[in-house]
Amino acid sequence: MSTTRQIMVVGASVAAAAFIGQLRADGYDGSVVVVERDPDMPYDRPPLSKEFLTASEARPEAPWWTGGCDIVRGVAERVDPANRALTVRKSSGQIDELMADHLVVATGSDPVRLPGQPDGVMSLRTAADARAVRENARPGRRAVVLGAGTVGTELASSLSASGTDVALVDLADRPLDRFFAGHLGDEAAEWIRSGGVQLHLSTRVGEIHRRSTGWVIETDGPTLTEADLVVCAVGTRPALAWLDGLDLDTRDGVACDASGAALTNGGDIVPGLHAIGDAARWTGAEYRREDWTSAQLQGRHLARRLSGLTPLVNPSAERPYFWSRQFGRRIQVLGKPVREATLVTHVQDPEEAAAFYTLEHDGDTVAWISINRPREFALALRGAVAGSRKVT
Ligand SMILES: Cc1cc2nc3c(=O)[nH]c(=O)nc-3n(C[C@H](O)[C@H](O)[C@H](O)COP(=O)(O)OP(=O)(O)OC[C@H]3O[C@@H](n4cnc5c(N)ncnc54)[C@H](O)[C@@H]3O)c2cc1C
């Protein structure tokens, strides 16, 4: 990349940080400009549903942000790939056109809203969202959380720990249904209920409206009333509206080749355009990765490719890793849980709320699940990584 002098990244989060950190470590001394719309960024997102909700700082720290770039505060609105130009509406209102040899899409995801979701129903994606939720986290308050995925269950756990009265609603018949691919549903329901949360499963949310006494959430089961806050945590989708109208395959994230080069609808590489993190779907990974670790790996991999250096690891060949903390449990999952797999219990220690499982499918271990068993998990991780890692 000796001729590249200008790199632009949209999104100042963990994927961007890993990308820029690797570029600089490998000796790139050209310009890097990062465009970011959130005035609080950079900060770390995983704490937002966990310890941050019971803390007092304005935003979580971002120890992985090492700088090495100029940040332009504003919203990326349009890209002209042929001229390698990006239109940015700066926070001041001024509209600028920025040029670069390479543009990296690192815009992550936005929360999904329910059809007809009224204003005032909260989401949890940014530090501002978390501060708004935190203001209501105290005894005597009543919260309804919609969606019992990782963010919804972590939020229910943190709110409940702060003394808030919490109801958690999901259409699925078990919590963490996607996270564990249908396994451990009874166990998760048990630890959520023991944590003092009212759990409403197989429950479809209908109309949501506000009365003088608080929010009313109609469902096909009970009607939930007098809620001080309602938080919708039903999922996310890649933040790509600003790329609308381009000949880019953005059906579920920006489709990329195995090193992060963006692809057209016809499968051709778009010169100078790349995508990493939650916003990207790389060839070779079976699905779009939406976790912190993959975002980092993709950022580093793309940097190595642009520098013309051998990649350190191939992110698409790595087993995905995700963690959660909730209801006194540290949960770690390596691999991809699948519904057809058989759950094998290796450790079960109810007194310590600890367990260690694997998911076995077609003669292979497809996932390792640890609950408060970090030592077993670290050993499994070492073995699994040694078995799967290939540098391409
Ligand atoms: C509450 C919560 C808890 C989580 N917990 C975990 C966890 O425990 N473990 C785990 O592995 N993962 C967790 N995740 C997921 C993890 O945080 C994401 O996978 C990771 O942040 C993705 O990083 P990224 O760099 O791709 O994008 P993001 O972190 O989403 O950042 C993208 C940035 O792009 C900016 N942006 C978007 N559009 C524009 C635009 N048009 N112009 C300018 N800027 C723009 C956004 O403001 C944002 O700052 C959690 C996520 C949330 C929300």
Side-chain angles (χ1 to χ4, degrees):
M1 200 184 45
S2 50
T3 56
T4 297
R5 305 311 306 157
Q6 289 268 10
I7 295 180
M8 212 147 43
V9 184
V10 185
S13 189
V14 62
F19 172 71
I20 298 162
Q22 190 67 52
L23 275 181
R24 295 299 187 202
D26 290 331
Y28 172 68
D29 62 0
S31 138
V32 180
V33 172
V34 178
V35 178
E36 172 57 59
R37 66 183 178 186
D38 178 344
D40 285 314
M41 285 302 284
Y43 54 81
D44 206 18
R45 237 171 265 288
L48 294 179
S49 48
K50 307 178 183 77
E51 59 270 23
F52 183 74
L53 286 178
T54 47
S56 57
E57 77 260 39
R59 67 189 68 77
E61 289 184 358
W64 33 260
W65 186 264
T66 50
C69 62
D70 294 320
I71 300 188
V72 172
R73 298 285 170 188
V75 180
E77 291 196 328
R78 218 172 30 256
V79 179
D80 174 356
N83 292 308
R84 305 202 178 194
L86 176 73
T87 307
V88 178
R89 182 182 296 272
K90 290 186 169 170
S91 311
S92 60
Q94 185 186 325
I95 296 186
D96 266 4
E97 190 161 83
L98 308 177
M99 315 292 287
D101 302 301
H102 291 273
L103 174 66
V104 180
V105 176
T107 45
S109 313
D110 283 329
V112 170
R113 292 170 65 89
L114 290 170
Q117 181 176 311
D119 289 346
V121 170
M122 298 177 182
S123 310
L124 185 57
R125 185 78 198 171
T126 64
D129 293 338
R131 288 194 294 267
V133 171
R134 191 165 70 178
E135 273 176 28
N136 286 285
R138 58 176 184 272
R141 292 283 169 150
R142 189 184 281 241
V144 176
V145 178
L146 309 176
T150 48
V151 170
T153 51
E154 288 175 1
L155 178 56
S157 169
S158 305
L159 286 171
S160 184
S162 72
T164 312
D165 185 7
V166 186
L168 177 61
V169 184
D170 202 299
L171 187 57
D173 63 0
R174 65 202 76 191
L176 295 168
D177 182 53
R178 210 159 61 94
F179 185 49
F180 288 138
H183 302 280
L184 297 171
D186 292 343
E187 290 81 348
E190 161 63 21
W191 74 59
I192 291 168
R193 290 194 168 112
S194 303
V197 171
Q198 273 176 54
L199 182 60
H200 301 284
L201 296 169
S202 307
T203 302
R204 182 179 293 277
V205 172
E207 211 184 302
I208 303 173
H209 47 97
R210 205 200 296 245
R211 287 203 195 122
S212 57
T213 50
W215 288 97
V216 176
I217 298 95
E218 313 270 3
T219 77
D220 59 1
T223 299
L224 305 170
T225 58
E226 298 182 19
D228 298 291
L229 71 153
V230 184
V231 189
C232 182
V234 297
T236 58
R237 66 168 61 97
L240 300 177
W242 59 289
L243 298 175
D244 280 356
L246 297 180
D247 179 18
L248 271 184
D249 177 354
T250 53
R251 277 167 295 177
D252 179 27
V254 177
C256 293
D257 73 0
S259 62
L263 301 174
T264 65
N265 287 304
D268 298 320
I269 286 178
V270 183
L273 192 63
H274 317 269
I276 51 179
D278 281 15
R281 176 170 44 90
W282 282 28
T283 304
E286 290 160 56
Y287 55 94
R288 182 172 64 87
R289 301 281 170 91
E290 274 185 280
D291 61 81
W292 192 96
T293 309
S294 298
Q296 271 215 337
L297 290 178
Q298 290 179 349
R300 289 166 54 200
H301 187 87
L302 176 63
R304 297 286 289 186
R305 284 285 195 210
L306 290 192
S307 298
L309 297 170
T310 312
L312 304 169
V313 294
N314 174 1
S316 304
E318 292 290 295
R319 296 182 196 274
Y321 170 62
F322 204 96
W323 73 91
S324 175
R325 267 200 308 279
Q326 50 180 278
F327 302 100
R329 286 161 175 83
R330 176 180 179 194
I331 306 172
Q332 296 164 284
V333 179
L334 177 72
K336 173 85 178 107
V338 291
R339 283 176 201 274
E340 314 77 57
T342 306
L343 183 79
V344 178
T345 304
H346 300 271
V347 176
Q348 187 77 269
D349 181 352
E351 275 190 16
E352 300 281 320
F356 189 75
Y357 309 96
T358 53
L359 286 170
E360 309 291 336
H361 184 52
D362 273 352
D364 277 334
T365 304
V366 294
W368 291 256
I369 301 173
S370 159
I371 299 170
N372 287 341
R373 280 288 170 172
R375 218 172 66 83
E376 275 91 344
F377 189 77
L379 290 173
L381 190 107
R382 220 181 293 157
V385 166
S388 75
R389 185 166 281 179
K390 287 184 220 86
V391 174
T392 57

